[in-house]
Amino acid sequence: MSDKVPAGIAAVSSILILAYACATAPTTNPAPNTQPVAQVQTGGAGGPRVPLTDSARRVRDSTTAARRDSGAASVLRSIAGRETQPAESVFKNIKILKGIPAGRLVNIMNMGFGRSLGVSCGFCHVPGKWDLDDKEEKNTARLMFAMVQTINRDYMSKVPNDRGAPPVVNCFTCHRGNAKPIGPEGPPGNRPAAPPGD
């Protein structure tokens, strides 16, 4: 029964969030689309994705967060009593974040990686088979973590700062809640196409 509670909570939370998002959706009509009909893509196979409305984005993000929090809670229950042991003694195939407590690793994955990228556990992991390296995103996350460590150690630590600890970069610095890093043009779906020849 206790295994069903987080899924039930996630489902109820998703429904409540959906209702809230629909109730708080803007009531004004958006400006009409000025693009010719032939250029408007619906996000079908091969076409660019239609940007989400604020209301739809809130629903997606809240549903993803509920799924991610439920998954983290499930993993924490499965390691109950071993949360303070080193992560590599509790989990298999730990290549980064060795030596930190296993419970803290789960929270770093959930809060640090998951929230920063706006994704749930299944984005990088095969759910229930956390040790597998079957997904490219998992290896990319390891590379990106090494990049962040290098930037903080070799560059950010040398930035003069009279206000205390040196500034740091982390996943959120570039991703800002999106699976792909956000450039100055905004989220990947909003970026203009590169001119031919670039």
Side-chain angles (χ1 to χ4, degrees):
M1 167 107 181
S2 63
D3 289 336
K4 294 181 182 178
V5 172
I9 291 171
V12 170
S13 298
S14 297
I15 292 168
L16 291 173
I17 291 164
L18 178 62
Y20 171 78
C22 291
T24 60
T27 56
T28 59
N29 290 331
N33 190 345
T34 57
Q35 289 181 314
V37 175
Q39 292 180 1
V40 177
Q41 295 289 326
T42 60
R49 297 175 72 185
V50 175
L52 294 175
T53 63
D54 288 342
S55 180
R57 186 174 292 107
R58 283 194 302 268
V59 171
R60 181 207 57 201
D61 293 349
S62 297
T63 302
T64 299
R67 188 180 308 124
R68 187 180 56 244
D69 291 346
S70 175
S74 176
V75 171
L76 287 171
R77 278 194 308 278
S78 75
I79 65 165
R82 300 182 293 159
E83 301 95 322
T84 59
Q85 294 177 8
E88 64 273 18
S89 70
V90 175
F91 300 109
K92 297 177 188 173
N93 197 19
I94 299 295
K95 294 184 179 174
I96 61 170
L97 300 172
K98 288 183 178 183
I100 65 165
R104 184 166 173 227
L105 173 76
V106 174
N107 289 325
I108 288 170
M109 291 289 146
N110 183 18
M111 304 295 282
F113 288 84
R115 285 197 180 177
S116 293
L117 275 68
V119 298
S120 60
C121 310
F123 184 76
C124 292
H125 296 277
V126 175
K129 299 178 182 178
W130 311 110
D131 58 319
L132 295 182
D133 287 338
D134 290 7
K135 291 194 162 191
E136 184 180 329
E137 292 83 359
K138 185 175 183 182
N139 291 316
T140 299
R142 287 175 174 146
L143 289 170
M144 298 295 275
F145 185 79
M147 177 191 72
V148 164
Q149 286 183 311
T150 300
I151 291 170
N152 285 325
R153 182 189 62 237
D154 296 347
Y155 301 100
M156 298 304 287
S157 65
K158 296 173 182 152
V159 173
N161 183 9
D162 59 355
R163 289 179 270 159
V168 296
V169 299
N170 56 34
C171 303
F172 191 79
T173 304
C174 297
H175 285 270
R176 291 181 260 160
N178 292 275
K180 301 240 183 225
I182 293 181
E185 303 87 19
N190 296 339
R191 294 181 185 168
D198 281 352

